[in-house]
């Protein structure tokens, strides 16, 4: 995803609603913190969290308009396939995505 002039944001849809304070709760963006270029498969990585002020407008992978509320840094880790829907072809893995905890 592209947000402003920054690339390499990841778009996430949580399995359940998260109480992150104000802002849209069904989708959010995360980006690897400085000096990190991949999400390791076996350890946690520090990421920047960004919430949308309202329903996001995303066109061809680019966030349009005033959309961002920057939040805290968080630690995230890829989850095993069982947390991505339980069965092959289910959950985010069917869409080419990954689970993240």
């Amino acid at each position: 995803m592209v947000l402003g002039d920054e690339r390499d944001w990841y778009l996430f849809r949580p399995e359940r609603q998260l109480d992150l304070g104000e802002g849209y709760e069904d989708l959010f963006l995360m980006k690897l913190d400085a000096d990190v270029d991949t999400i390791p498969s076996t350890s946690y990585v520090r990421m920047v969290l960004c919430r949308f002020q309202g329903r996001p407008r995303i066109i061809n992978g680019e966030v349009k308009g005033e959309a961002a509320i920057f939040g805290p840094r968080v630690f995230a880790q890829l989850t095993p396939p069982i947390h991505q829907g339980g069965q092959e072809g289910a959950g985010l893995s069917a869409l080419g995505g990954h689970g993240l905890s």
Side-chain angles (χ1 to χ4, degrees):
M1 300 296 302
V2 177
L3 177 63
D5 60 353
E6 293 185 31
R7 298 183 172 277
D8 300 324
W9 286 92
Y10 295 92
L11 181 67
F12 285 93
R13 179 182 314 270
E15 284 184 12
R16 59 189 173 279
Q17 195 172 42
L18 302 175
D19 182 10
L20 299 172
E22 67 179 86
Y24 193 73
E25 297 176 342
D26 293 331
L27 291 172
F28 58 95
L29 296 170
M30 291 177 75
K31 183 176 185 170
L32 295 170
D33 207 357
D35 301 325
V36 179
D37 60 0
T38 60
I39 300 175
S41 61
T42 58
S43 63
Y44 285 89
V45 64
R46 194 167 143 164
M47 299 184 84
V48 177
L49 176 71
C50 177
R51 295 170 289 159
F52 296 102
Q53 292 178 6
R55 186 178 195 93
R57 240 182 75 203
I58 301 170
I59 301 172
N60 295 326
E62 186 174 344
V63 178
K64 301 291 186 179
E66 297 287 325
I69 301 170
F70 291 93
R73 300 246 184 318
V74 296
F75 286 94
Q77 180 180 33
L78 292 175
T79 58
I82 192 168
H83 297 294
Q84 297 176 16
Q87 300 173 355
E88 188 174 329
L92 293 174
S93 58
L95 302 173
H98 294 280
L100 198 69
S101 67

